[in-house]
Amino acid sequence: QVTAGGLHSMALKKDGTLWGFGINKNGQLGDSTTTSKTVPGQIGLDTNWQEVKAGFEYTLALKTDSSLWSWGFNGNGQLGNGTTTESHQPGQIGSSRKWTSFSPGSTFGFAIASDSSLYAWGSNQYGNLGTGDNLEYNSPEAVQTSKNWTFIESSGGFVYQNMIYGFHAMGLKNDASVICATGANYTGQLGDGTMDQRSTFSCNTGVLNTSVHKPDEEQDVLVYPNPGHG
């Protein structure tokens, strides 16, 4: 597996080893240094990595025991480790081993637990965490109370005129039949027909018709002329 972040990339080999390359000024490669690499370099000696995703200036990864790990820039709590201190090597997010999927974004992240509940952390200035507020969380915070999430994706980040952009999230619920969105919407990126910013997930994007109303089988019928010929 390979994943492309803001200015760095990560790769996972078949033997479960983790590799990184690209810029490393915030430790986003996870090799305990801030030295950038132009070729893949192995990250630690662990051989139980299952999935890795590169964010804007940080990285999230899942191990085979369902534990979630993070490293890199952490000025907005996007590592989810309870601090805002950057890390140059992988550190576990909490002590839970119940994660099934995850998504790093610009300055925030999401993860889905084994019971299909959703958690979020990091920057939240546009309501992009879906927690109903604009508070910044530096450890996983439960999003709503529903436990029917099947997929989550955080918007990637980019810099323009010294400003970071990318503050919305999209999710799938109910066996991927419902699209939900939260956060910034100034270009209509939430897809709900408005440009209104949201701080909780609205599930009005791309609504599928999953049932059809059956009309009455018995209806009055008028025939003209009556009697008719032909």
Side-chain angles (χ1 to χ4, degrees):
Q1 181 211 343
V2 291
T3 174
L7 293 169
H8 76 292
S9 302
M10 303 295 299
L12 186 63
K13 278 192 174 182
K14 200 172 186 178
D15 62 5
T17 58
L18 189 62
W19 299 70
F21 42 102
I23 199 165
N24 194 30
K25 67 178 182 178
N26 299 112
Q28 52 262 62
L29 297 187
D31 62 358
S32 300
T33 77
T34 54
T35 303
S36 299
K37 289 181 170 62
T38 57
V39 295
Q42 187 172 350
I43 312 303
L45 300 175
D46 290 350
T47 59
N48 59 341
W49 295 104
Q50 178 175 307
E51 186 178 7
V52 62
K53 293 182 181 180
F56 185 57
E57 293 179 313
Y58 71 107
T59 306
L60 297 179
L62 191 69
K63 283 192 173 183
T64 54
D65 64 358
S66 299
S67 60
L68 190 60
W69 298 68
S70 62
W71 57 93
F73 185 68
N74 195 29
N76 304 101
Q78 53 262 65
L79 296 189
N81 60 10
T83 76
T84 53
T85 303
E86 73 179 32
S87 176
H88 300 164
Q89 60 186 13
Q92 187 175 348
I93 298 178
S95 58
S96 172
R97 290 185 171 90
K98 62 179 181 180
W99 306 107
T100 59
S101 61
F102 59 97
S103 175
S106 57
T107 58
F108 62 105
F110 282 92
I112 298 177
S114 58
D115 63 355
S116 298
S117 56
L118 182 64
Y119 291 80
W121 60 90
S123 176
N124 193 27
Q125 58 182 317
Y126 291 95
N128 41 283
L129 298 187
T131 52
D133 53 45
N134 295 103
L135 300 177
E136 185 173 285
Y137 297 92
N138 56 26
S139 59
E141 178 74 11
V143 178
Q144 301 176 341
T145 57
S146 60
K147 295 184 178 181
N148 54 357
W149 294 91
T150 58
F151 178 81
I152 189 67
E153 180 74 1
S154 312
S155 57
F158 69 95
V159 175
Y160 178 70
Q161 294 182 346
N162 295 322
M163 292 287 292
I164 296 179
Y165 293 84
F167 292 99
H168 70 289
M170 310 293 293
L172 296 176
K173 298 175 71 173
N174 299 338
D175 296 326
S177 65
V178 177
I179 301 175
C180 304
T182 189
N185 195 28
Y186 44 80
T187 59
Q189 58 262 53
L190 299 189
D192 60 3
T194 76
M195 289 190 178
D196 298 332
Q197 176 179 315
R198 303 190 183 281
S199 60
T200 58
F201 277 93
S202 171
C203 299
N204 296 318
T205 300
V207 177
L208 298 176
N209 290 323
T210 56
S211 63
V212 177
H213 175 68
K214 185 178 180 180
D216 294 335
E217 294 181 355
E218 296 182 2
Q219 298 182 22
D220 293 333
V221 177
L222 294 177
V223 179
Y224 183 84
N226 187 9
H229 303 281

